[in-house]
Amino acid sequence: MAHSVTSPNYERERLDNGAWKAETYALAMGKTIDPSGKDESLNALTVEEMAEILANALHRQNYLPQSDPRKTDLMIVVNWGKTIPFDDGLSQSVIQNLTATIDQLDSLELDGESAGVVTFSATPSEAKLETMLTIQSMAERARRQANDYNAQLLGFAPDLFEHYKDDTLGGPQRLIFDDLVAEVEASRYFVILVAYDFKKLVEKKEKEVLWITRFSMRAKGRNFDEELANMAQSASKLFGTASGRMRRNLLPGKIEMGELEVIDTSEDHKDIE
């Protein structure tokens, strides 16, 4: 999955054959974002190996590496890492306790009757219910904050925030929203490429961002060093362009044909009438 944005000041020129006019860049390594600090695959590649993988992907959009500062158009900074999803263990525990508390409310004691009005005395169950509701609200806020942070990293934020605006989601819209949340709450490997105007950055110390592309994939069962090339090649079509909404299913399907295997044979043949 990938998302890409461009500055209003950034426009690429196409050649007569429809290809992009070449632009040159210098690549700078940013930082690794690994809140767990336990994923060794995020640092398994050398700087040279990462640079080569990204250069191959950038070349597909006619971005070419350049070592001469006088001939360099862009400074592309790469940051990469792995998100840690919100742990809803607390939320589930609260829901279970909340259910048990509601069941206990049947044991409320009568406080008396005055003028036909029946009142109840506060019981431990009522106090516990209020506490559980408060904790549940806190858990939901924590979940939203964690999801918002990961959505910003991954490029999901525009799509996710668009759905936040509608409190009455239903049907297909609800399914889309639930799918987005599921993706945000899954642990994902991600890469963020930020392209700056090289000359302004070097000569004037001005950080003018020209384009940003973010791409990611689910991390479960995978290693970053083994998947970076596939991720970068699949997202390369968005480098330096505005993707609009989140783009999905970037990885091409692959069919492998093995050797033919005879399942069953029979020497007896009968004519079919």
Side-chain angles (χ1 to χ4, degrees):
M1 302 179 72
H3 183 261
S4 190
V5 295
T6 59
S7 164
N9 298 325
Y10 181 70
E11 292 185 8
R12 294 197 71 184
E13 181 182 344
R14 285 193 180 274
L15 302 175
D16 293 339
N17 62 3
W20 292 114
K21 181 180 179 180
E23 290 187 14
T24 57
Y25 70 89
L27 189 68
M29 294 298 169
K31 60 182 180 179
T32 307
I33 303 173
D34 179 20
S36 71
K38 299 178 181 179
D39 194 327
E40 297 180 357
S41 74
L42 288 170
N43 297 302
L45 295 170
T46 65
V47 171
E48 291 76 16
E49 289 171 334
M50 281 197 69
E52 182 178 359
I53 289 172
L54 294 173
N56 288 335
L58 286 161
H59 187 268
R60 295 167 67 96
Q61 290 294 85
N62 222 8
Y63 289 111
L64 308 178
Q66 176 59 254
S67 57
D68 186 346
R70 296 169 299 178
K71 301 178 181 178
T72 304
D73 300 312
L74 306 172
M75 170 68 80
I76 299 179
V77 179
V78 53
N79 297 285
W80 68 99
K82 181 181 180 181
T83 61
I84 292 184
F86 174 76
D87 182 2
D88 65 351
L90 171 63
S91 178
Q92 293 299 322
S93 175
V94 170
I95 292 174
Q96 292 172 3
N97 289 333
L98 185 59
T99 301
T101 300
I102 292 174
D103 292 339
Q104 294 173 13
L105 289 179
D106 291 337
S107 63
L108 290 175
E109 298 177 357
L110 288 174
D111 188 36
E113 185 173 349
S114 175
V117 178
V118 177
T119 60
F120 297 89
S121 61
T123 68
S125 292
E126 285 181 305
K128 186 177 181 182
L129 174 60
E130 184 175 352
T131 300
M132 289 296 106
L133 287 172
T134 299
I135 295 176
Q136 174 70 6
S137 177
M138 292 172 61
E140 287 300 322
R141 285 199 300 272
R143 179 183 182 183
R144 169 71 181 271
Q145 290 173 352
N147 286 352
D148 288 353
Y149 172 75
N150 285 341
Q152 293 280 4
L153 275 179
L154 300 169
F156 286 56
D159 291 58
L160 196 62
F161 294 167
E162 181 67 26
H163 286 84
Y164 279 155
K165 296 177 182 178
D166 191 348
D167 296 330
T168 60
L169 289 177
Q173 290 299 314
R174 167 53 62 179
L175 293 177
I176 293 173
F177 175 74
D178 290 343
D179 184 46
L180 282 171
V181 171
E183 293 293 349
V184 170
E185 292 185 346
S187 182
R188 302 184 69 87
Y189 287 129
F190 67 87
V191 176
I192 304 173
L193 298 181
V194 184
Y196 297 91
D197 184 305
F198 184 86
K199 291 181 175 58
K200 287 186 178 180
L201 185 64
V202 174
E203 297 173 4
K204 301 180 180 180
K205 310 302 180 185
E206 296 179 4
K207 294 183 178 181
E208 182 180 354
V209 177
L210 298 180
W211 55 265
I212 302 174
T213 300
R214 305 167 189 265
F215 50 97
S216 66
M217 72 185 311
R218 290 203 178 207
K220 186 176 180 180
R222 298 184 171 102
N223 291 315
F224 179 80
D225 56 321
E226 297 172 355
E227 299 294 344
L228 176 59
N230 286 335
M231 292 170 63
Q233 291 289 337
S234 299
S236 63
K237 66 186 72 174
L238 300 182
F239 294 169
T241 67
S243 65
R245 291 185 174 273
M246 174 65 62
R247 299 287 294 275
R248 306 183 180 214
N249 302 320
L250 295 173
L251 290 174
K254 181 172 66 174
I255 300 176
E256 295 184 356
M257 298 294 292
E259 294 183 3
L260 292 177
E261 180 180 356
V262 177
I263 304 300
D264 188 24
T265 60
S266 175
E267 295 181 355
D268 296 330
H269 297 81
K270 295 182 179 181
D271 294 334
I272 299 177
E273 297 179 358

